[in-house]
Amino acid sequence: MTLLILGLILFLGMHSVRVFADGWRTRMIERLGPMPWKAIYALISLIGLVLVVWGFGQARLHPTLLYAPPAMLRHLNSLFTLIAFILFAAAYVPSNHFKARLGHPMLLGAKVWAFGHLLAIGFLRDVVLFGAFLAWAIVAYMAAKRRDRKAGVTYPAGTAKGDVITVIAGVIGWAVFAFWLHMALFGVNPMG
């Protein structure tokens, strides 16, 4: 569990610098330059992610059940995850109403993904992992919306074409992950 927690601190901590130390971040970018800052950001994030994956794998060897959710919630998690994948796609597909309306669909997708997994899985390792991501996504979304209001940010209007591409990309990504990649990466069949 120690590696998992350390990984979460590094990964989510690096992704929280703009939330909690935006002035310091700006000074570091000015001092180092954008590319070196991005390299440091990526390296620390990658180290954190590796530790999260490794630590989660280690924590799976010593399962501690906190609660046993009903099977219905596992099925409901598939719906939450589908919504999350559509929101993830909305962050990258241009001219969609999701991004125009929500501003930061990836952070909302992370919230939905983490919440769904917390409903569906009751082991301590999962509560630590998904609880940390949920807390981070809530705080990061509020901070991003506050920055947007302060800066007067408006997002480009969405189009029906952008919405269709977003939904199709999200559904395809979800299907690949749900029916193949989740089992290949994590040894868990979410559809089984």
Side-chain angles (χ1 to χ4, degrees), residues 74-110:
R74 284 199 338 254
H75 300 301
L76 186 59
N77 185 36
S78 294
L79 176 61
F80 279 110
T81 307
L82 172 60
I83 292 166
F85 267 85
I86 292 169
L87 291 170
F88 293 155
Y92 296 101
V93 174
S95 302
N96 67 77
H97 285 94
F98 301 100
K99 181 153 184 146
R101 178 92 171 140
L102 304 171
H104 301 275
M106 182 168 286
L107 291 171
L108 289 174

Side-chain angles (χ1 to χ4, degrees), residues 14-45:
M14 202 63 210
H15 284 79
S16 299
V17 168
R18 190 159 188 202
V19 174
F20 296 107
D22 197 28
W24 176 82
R25 174 186 170 271
T26 302
R27 289 190 301 278
M28 291 302 290
I29 293 170
E30 289 170 357
R31 195 169 101 201
L32 300 172
M35 291 313 289
W37 169 257
K38 287 180 183 179
I40 292 167
Y41 184 98
L43 179 63
I44 293 172
S45 295

Side-chain angles (χ1 to χ4, degrees), residues 49-132:
L49 184 60
V50 167
L51 288 173
V52 166
V53 171
W54 187 14
F56 189 79
Q58 294 296 311
R60 288 177 75 183
L61 299 175
H62 308 285
T64 302
L65 186 64
L66 298 178
Y67 55 91
M72 175 195 74
L73 292 180
R74 284 199 338 254
H75 300 301
L76 186 59
N77 185 36
S78 294
L79 176 61
F80 279 110
T81 307
L82 172 60
I83 292 166
F85 267 85
I86 292 169
L87 291 170
F88 293 155
Y92 296 101
V93 174
S95 302
N96 67 77
H97 285 94
F98 301 100
K99 181 153 184 146
R101 178 92 171 140
L102 304 171
H104 301 275
M106 182 168 286
L107 291 171
L108 289 174
K111 284 200 273 190
V112 171
W113 166 80
F115 181 70
H117 280 74
L118 283 172
L119 287 178
I121 312 166
F123 287 98
L124 176 61
R125 64 183 183 245
D126 300 289
V127 171
V128 169
L129 176 68
F130 299 114

Side-chain angles (χ1 to χ4, degrees), residues 14 31 34 68 72 83 86 97 127 136 138 141 146-147 150 153 156 158 174 181 190:
M14 202 63 210
R31 195 169 101 201
M72 175 195 74
I83 292 166
I86 292 169
H97 285 94
V127 171
W136 167 79
I138 289 169
Y141 184 77
R146 192 170 34 251
R147 273 193 317 271
K150 186 177 178 183
V153 172
W174 172 83
L181 207 51

Side-chain angles (χ1 to χ4, degrees), residues 120-172:
I121 312 166
F123 287 98
L124 176 61
R125 64 183 183 245
D126 300 289
V127 171
V128 169
L129 176 68
F130 299 114
F133 268 93
L134 179 59
W136 167 79
I138 289 169
V139 171
Y141 184 77
M142 290 183 334
K145 292 298 279 185
R146 192 170 34 251
R147 273 193 317 271
D148 285 355
R149 282 192 301 273
K150 186 177 178 183
V153 172
T154 56
Y155 291 93
T159 64
K161 178 182 175 185
D163 294 345
V164 169
I165 293 169
T166 298
V167 171
I168 289 171
V171 169
I172 290 171

